[in-house]
Structures are given as C-alpha cells and as structure tokens.
Amino acid sequence: MFKFEDGIIIIATYFDTPEEKVKNIRKQLDSNSDREKLDAMKRLIALISKGRNVSEFFAQVVKNVASHNLEIRKLVYIYLLRYAEQEPDLALLSINTFQKDLSDSNPLIRAMALRVLSGIKVHMIGSIVVLAIKKCASDISPYVRKAAALAIPKCYSLDSSHQPELIAIISALLRDRSSLSIGSVAIAFDFVCPTRLDLLHQHYRRLCRTLVDVDEWGQVDLLALLTRYARTMLPRPIVTQDANGEFEEEVDPDVKLLLTSSEPLFQSYNPAVVLAVARMFFYIAPSSELPKIVSPLLRLLHISPEVERVVLAYLLVVSRSLSHLLVPSYLFFIVRADDIRQVKRDKMRLLRAVTTADNYQALLREFIHYSEDADDDLVRDAIEAIGYCAQLVPESTQQCLTALMSFIQSRHDAVVANAVIVLKLLVQVNLQQQTAISEAYSPLDTILTSTYGIEGPEQEDEHEEQGGVVLRREQVKMVLFQGKLGVVEDAKTDNEHTALGSLGAITGREMRNDTIIPDWLEEGVESSLRDTEEDMPQAPAYIQSIQSSVPRSISSTSNRASPVILTPSGPSPAGSYVRQETGKAPWKDLDKFYEDTNEEEEESETDEDEDEDEESNDEESNDEEQIGDKVDETSEESEVESEEDARQRNTS
C-alpha cells in the first residue's frame, strides 16, 4: 500500500500491473468514465513509484488536469510534477488551467498548481510564474505559502532578471508567523540573495524563538542562515581577565538568544539537525559552551554506517582545535572489523589526535593489534601511529621501538616496509633534534644493524664474518640522510581549511561552491536594528491584574461623547483618514486630532458637572417644598385645635 501526503492510497494490486493492462492505460485515460480514468492514474503512479518511465502517457494525462473529480486531479498533478520539466511544450497547453487552479478552494490543488507551473522550464513564462508566486505568497494556507517559497529558486534559475521582485516576495515571507513555511523561506533566501543579510534584522529574534517549532529539515536550513547572520552582524564573544586572574566571557545577548534557542535541538531524532546545531555552536559559541557538542555527536555514531561516516568527518575537524574535549571519549573511536576502509582511516586519525601521556598504553596496544589486519592501509596507519606515539610521549619510545623491531621480522611485506620507513623517520627526527638518548636507541642500533647493515660499537672489536657489505654509523647517516629533504611527518593529513559541515571535510577534496564560513566581525552592527515591538518591555503582572480588575463603569469614559471613526479616504500610499462626524473637517495633523479629542472630553466632563449641579438644585427645591407642606399641615392642625377649645369654653 502506498499513501500520499494528501491521503490518496494505492493498494498493492496496482503495483503488480501486467503488461496488457499497461497497454490499456491510454484507452482508459481517453474514456468518459471517471472510474476508468482513476484506475489508469493509480496504475501510472504505481509504475512511477517502481522507477518505470511512463512519460509516453503525458499527452493523455495532461488533458485530465481540468477534471471535476478531485481524486483524478490530485493524481494528475502528482504525475505532472514528475514529468513537467521533461515535456515543457505539452505542459504549456494547460497553463491556463494551472493559473485557474491557483484560486481553487483546496489548498493542496493550489500548491500543486504552483509547483507544476514553476517546474515548466520555458523562459517566456517567467513573468507568469512570478505573479503566481506573489499570489500564493499571500495565501491563507501556510502549506501554499511554503510552496511559494520553494518555487522562488526555480523561478530565479529560469530567469534571474526577476531578482528584485523575488527579493520583495522573500521579504514578505520573512514576516510569516507560521513555522511551516519559514524553513523554505531560508532556502529561497540563500539561493536568491545570500548576501542581503540586512533583510533579517527585524526578524532575527523572532526566528530564534520559533526555531524549535520549525520542521526538521527547515531547522537545518534556518540554522545555517542564522549562523551566517551571527558571524556577520553580531559581535564576537570576548574573553577578559579580571584583577583576580579569573577569565570572564562577554557574550552579546543576541548571541545568547541563538545559543539558548538552538540548544534543545541537540536532542532531535534527525541527525542532520544535531549536526547543524553542533556546527553552529562550533563557530559561534564561547569556549565555555563548546563541550556541549561532544556528547550529541558521539550519540550519532551508532545510528547507521552512513551517519557514522559523516559524524567522524565532523569530529576530525573538531579535533584540530578541540582535541582535549575528545580525549575522555577515545573508546568511541576503536576500529571494528566490519568498518569500511574510510571509517577505519578516520578512526585512526582520531585515535592519533587523542593520544596523550595518560592513555598511550591502551592506544599503543590497539595500534599493535591493527598492524596484523588484512587491510594494508590500516596496517600502514597503525605503524605510523606507533611512530607518532614515540615522538609525542618520550616515555613510550622503548616500547614503540620494540614493537617496530618485531614488525621487521614479519612475513608480510607491507608490515616490514612500513616499519622500516617509520624507523628511518625516527632516526632522522632524532638526528635533527641532536638528542643523545643512548639507552633509548640501543635497540635502534640493533634494528639498523639487521636492516641496513650498520656496524655497531661492539663490532669494531669483534670480527664476525657477515654476508654483504657492513657499513659504519657515519656511512649510514651519509647514505640515508645527507642531501635529503626534511621530515614530512604526515603528508596525508586533512586540509586545515575545510569548514565544519562542508563536503570537502567528508570527501577529503576541495569542492566547488562548498560551504564558506564568513569572518566574524569584532563589534557587529548596531543592536537597535533588531529591535521590534515584541522586544518592548511589558507592564509588570501586578499592574496588568489591577487594570483587569478595575470596574468597567470606572475605567470607561463617558458614553455621551460621540465615537470617532477613521476610514480611508482614498488610494494614497501614505494613507489619509476622514473623520466621520457631522460638521467636522478632515484631520491632517495627528496632534490636533488628539487636542480636539481632549477638548471634547473636557466638555463632556463639564456637562456632567452641570447636570450634577442641576440635579442637586432640584433635590434641594424638592426638600424645601416638602418642608413647606409639613409646616402648612401643622398650622392647620393647630387652628382646628384652637377652635375646638373655644367651643368647649362657650358651652361651659
């Protein structure tokens, strides 16, 4: 079963299509039945997945690009993506359909239409492709915007005269907040305008923060772009020494942001991402952060032979300047019998790089063991490593010479020849240094006697018959070393100028258009160029909580003021606005606008105060009326009581 990214599933029966059904595909594609067409397209896609060339059906397939059946259209576009570059003339016949599908409701169809349109390598449609890319770059779907970013390099390679328009599209895509498309934008940037790093100023910090959310392969491209930006635009970390003799590192905040944002990617399951982060740390991080790259790289050694080959190339570059970081992990570089030849060679170089006075005993035993291998290249590297150990650690000279002396008696010509060469190198180095170590070189005299026929000191006195010519020590010096060039210790070392992550570091040869690491500026550019609104300080949390807890009736202004609505008044690029309020002229000055707004607020507050005064006066008048009514009632009651008293007196 074969499943595509759009959900199309082709069952296994289509992968076993007999030849008679292959011949019937052309007839099925020309039929009026969607069922027949769908069956034919599935068989074609199955044949493509098996590596078979089915370009002969291109003319019949391209006619179905406007089919009303969505499944057929998807399969047609998959076919066209494979063969549109090979048949550009036939693909041009359906260019109107491709342009129409750029407005399709399905984002997958829109993306496929752009991919096919940008894959038609005809110079005359360059302008059409640019317009299509510009349209898809502002699409609501991030998948379509990603397709637009991937189409930019194709358009640029087709016609480089559209570079200014493509740079404008890249600038717009850099503002994209979706993590799905930003990795593809980095690819387009490196292809079209790799030197325009100034376009990244306003987006650098946001790209660092969203790095962990980008897709895996997008992270690789984005890390490479940010590494170049940091080396070109950011100040280099500085190591200073204080009065107490302690070293301190001064690291720019933007460099720290990139390091902290990318460090979690060391745990990625994708080896390419881990290698990209290690490369970024190697060229950007201060010395205190460099040990972090060792463990992730060593973890990748056991993933697969292919990954191991690349990781060893990375470690060889690291060992040139940071070999001390690899010394505790020398067991990871032990040669296995099933290693390929290049892996064995790289491991031998790493073992030589990590040899110290503390571990030379264990490594020397490994070198002696490797000298018995069936691979002549490994035998040569092992014997040369023994000689290197004798020069690096003087305490090991006796043990190394003993091993070399035993190699001369070997039955294998490669072992004997390399042992003699190394012994000659050791003698030549000793003569140049003019170091007299008689005890260390007493076995060397024996070796030279048996090899070169040197007459030792004890043989001026003893006259034993020997076959051949017996030479004295001075004669051997003259024959072997007089007039010879100086010592070339290792002519097969790596190129010191190869960069970490470059193809040259893996192949061992200089490659054209290989990765180049720019020189790091000492001061960098102004940091304010990277400042954005997102970097502005926010109000403390307690202030925000207080503001959110204020009642709406208190925090809101008076509702009596009429709202002010700003609307565009015309197509002016700068934008002009007309105040939609009766009797008001258009605003031309923003300060006057705010002054008038403040006056309106003051007027509204004055109106509120007057209303409050009127209400208070009304309340006072009402109170007076109520008091007057009560006084009248009281006087009436007193008059009634006095009349009743008078009547009672008259009666009595």
Side-chain angles (χ1 to χ4, degrees), residues 560-594:
R560 296 184 181 183
S562 59
V564 178
I565 303 175
L566 301 179
T567 57
S569 62
S572 175
S576 58
Y577 297 89
V578 178
R579 192 179 183 197
Q580 300 297 318
E581 189 174 352
T582 306
K584 300 293 183 180
W587 292 108
K588 298 182 179 180
D589 192 347
L590 188 61
D591 295 333
K592 292 182 179 180
F593 169 76
Y594 284 115

Side-chain angles (χ1 to χ4, degrees), residues 31 36 75 92 99 108 127 139 146 148 214 238 294 447 512 550 594 601 645:
S31 67
E36 292 291 329
L75 292 174
L92 282 176
Q99 291 181 282
L108 183 63
S127 301
D139 196 276
K146 179 180 180 179
V214 181
I238 302 175
V294 177
I447 296 171
R512 295 181 59 185
V550 174
Y594 284 115
E601 292 179 353
D645 293 339

Side-chain angles (χ1 to χ4, degrees), residues 51 53 58 110 145 208 219 259 285 290 301 303 305 313 339 346 386 391 430 465-466 485 496 525 591 613 638 651:
N53 185 5
F58 190 92
R110 299 198 298 270
R145 298 197 297 271
C208 291
Q219 289 173 346
L259 294 175
L290 292 177
L301 289 174
I303 293 182
D339 288 335
D346 291 344
I386 295 174
Q391 300 176 57
N430 180 259
E465 295 183 0
Q466 297 182 359
L485 296 176
E496 296 181 357
V525 299
D591 295 333
D613 294 339
S638 60
T651 302

Side-chain angles (χ1 to χ4, degrees), residues 420 423-424 427-428 431 444-445 447-456 459 469-484:
V420 171
L423 284 171
K424 174 185 174 182
V427 174
Q428 190 173 6
L431 291 175
L444 181 59
D445 292 334
I447 296 171
L448 293 179
T449 300
S450 60
T451 305
Y452 294 107
I454 296 178
E455 181 179 344
Q459 296 171 337
V469 180
V470 179
L471 301 177
R472 296 183 181 276
R473 192 179 188 87
E474 293 75 11
Q475 293 174 324
V476 173
K477 292 181 182 179
M478 182 180 63
V479 172
L480 293 180
F481 309 117
Q482 186 174 0
K484 302 295 178 66

Side-chain angles (χ1 to χ4, degrees), residues 78-89:
I78 293 174
Y79 178 93
L80 293 178
L81 290 174
R82 176 65 178 82
Y83 293 109
E85 295 184 3
Q86 301 179 12
E87 300 289 344
D89 295 334

Side-chain angles (χ1 to χ4, degrees), residues 203-209 254 257 527 530-532 535:
H203 313 290
Y204 169 79
R205 293 168 182 166
R206 178 175 54 83
L207 294 177
C208 291
R209 297 187 187 100
D254 287 328
L257 176 63
S527 176
R530 294 179 288 274
D531 293 339
T532 59
D535 303 322

Side-chain angles (χ1 to χ4, degrees), residues 3 47 77 147 152 154 163 175 199 224 248 253 295 403 425 444 462 467 534 601 604:
K3 185 176 181 179
L47 292 172
Y77 271 113
I152 291 176
K154 298 180 182 179
Q163 184 184 32
R175 294 190 291 269
L199 298 176
E248 297 180 355
S295 296
L425 174 64
L444 181 59
E462 299 178 1
E534 297 178 357
E601 292 179 353
S604 63

